[in-house]
């Protein structure tokens, strides 16, 4: 039942994303990027793990560039490399370096792989989802890549999901292997904490509560 429920929710969310206009996507991406850049500048992490949004995914294709330029000197941005078993390896990427086409329509760095455990060295982790609920339960696309990845992230590390407006839901169907996230960022609501994450705006029913 949970699997069927997830499939139904995914279908609705994907249809909603496909219905967005180009102007709506660009505006939403700019707001999401601004919020994540502000977070990076506050936290000043040595390593950030993120991804390359494709299609209608929140944050837009330029999200890695925005994050890379916000990092302090000497810090690194890690991007995922999809393995044949759908697990995620990681590689360092810098602004201006090429991104190559890979499976499932994603783009990934051509730099040397660091291994599955590299995600555990990140000080901030930005992960994709179709939706997140107020408990931090995230709904991905069903491949399980990020459930495995999040299991390797230390509990104290901030995990943040970019979303479109309307994708932070009251409740999502969950299974034992689902890994919660700690915060989301939406165009209208900004950066919203789903727990006690320092430096992130706590969530309220009114949405954005102001800068921390």
């Amino acid at each position: 039942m949970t699997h069927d429920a997830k499939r139904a929710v995914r279908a609705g969310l994907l249809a909603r994303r496909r219905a967005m206009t180009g102007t709506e996507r660009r505006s939403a991406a700019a707001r999401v990027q601004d919020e994540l850049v502000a977070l990076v500048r506050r936290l000043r992490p040595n390593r950030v793990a993120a991804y390359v949004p494709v299609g209608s995914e929140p944050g837009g294709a330029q999200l890695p560039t925005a994050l890379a330029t916000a990092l302090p000197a000497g810090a690194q941005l890690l991007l995922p490399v999809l393995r044949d078993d759908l697990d995620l390896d990681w590689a360092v990427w810098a602004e201006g370096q090429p991104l190559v086409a890979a499976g499932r329509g994603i783009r990934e760095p051509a730099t040397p792989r660091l291994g599955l455990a590299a995600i555990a060295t990140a000080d901030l982790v930005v992960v994709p989802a179709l939706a997140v609920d107020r408990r931090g339960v995230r709904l991905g696309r069903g491949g399980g890549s990020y459930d495995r990845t999040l299991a390797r992230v230390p509990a104290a590390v901030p995990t943040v999901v970019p979303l479109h407006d309307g994708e932070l839901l009251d409740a999502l169907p969950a299974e034992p292997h689902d890994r919660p996230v700690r915060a989301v960022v939406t165009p209208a609501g900004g950066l919203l904490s789903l727990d006690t994450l320092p430096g992130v705006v706590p969530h309220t029913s009114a949405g954005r509560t102001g800068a921390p």
Side-chain angles (χ1 to χ4, degrees):
M1 289 295 293
T2 301
H3 177 77
D4 291 341
K6 284 185 173 183
R7 184 169 55 186
V9 174
R10 282 192 191 100
L13 291 165
L14 287 168
R16 187 174 181 274
R17 285 187 177 184
R18 287 193 295 268
M20 294 178 68
T21 67
T23 298
E24 289 171 335
R25 291 178 186 176
R26 288 189 293 272
S27 176
R31 293 180 182 179
V32 165
Q33 288 178 26
D34 287 347
E35 292 287 352
L36 289 173
V37 164
L39 179 63
V40 169
R41 288 175 174 164
R42 283 201 302 276
L43 297 181
R44 297 185 60 81
N46 290 317
R47 266 188 171 176
V48 173
Y51 63 100
V52 186
V54 297
S56 59
E57 288 187 325
Q62 295 304 308
L63 178 60
T65 298
L67 295 174
T69 56
L71 288 171
Q76 295 177 320
L77 178 66
L78 304 185
L79 295 179
V81 178
L82 185 65
R83 297 178 5 146
D84 291 341
D85 63 0
L86 300 186
D87 212 336
L88 296 178
D89 207 324
W90 298 87
V92 176
W93 182 83
E95 183 184 8
Q97 291 181 333
L99 290 166
V100 299
R104 301 200 167 198
I106 68 173
R107 293 185 299 147
E108 56 191 35
T111 46
R113 300 184 181 190
L114 303 178
L116 301 178
I119 188 68
T121 68
D123 305 304
L124 171 66
V125 178
V126 181
V127 298
L130 293 174
V132 175
D133 75 14
R134 300 183 194 282
R135 301 167 296 169
V137 174
R138 63 175 288 278
L139 180 69
R141 290 180 178 263
S145 300
Y146 278 94
D147 288 318
R148 283 179 274 182
T149 291
L150 288 168
R152 302 181 183 114
V153 177
V157 172
T159 48
V160 183
V161 175
L163 296 174
H164 290 300
D165 291 328
E167 294 177 348
L168 175 60
L169 306 178
D170 288 335
L172 282 167
E175 297 177 89
H177 65 264
D178 291 329
R179 299 286 174 163
V181 295
R182 302 184 65 190
V184 301
V185 56
T186 66
L191 198 58
L192 304 171
S193 178
L194 304 174
D195 62 4
T196 56
L197 178 60
V200 178
V201 178
H203 177 74
T204 70
S205 60
R208 186 191 297 268
T209 59

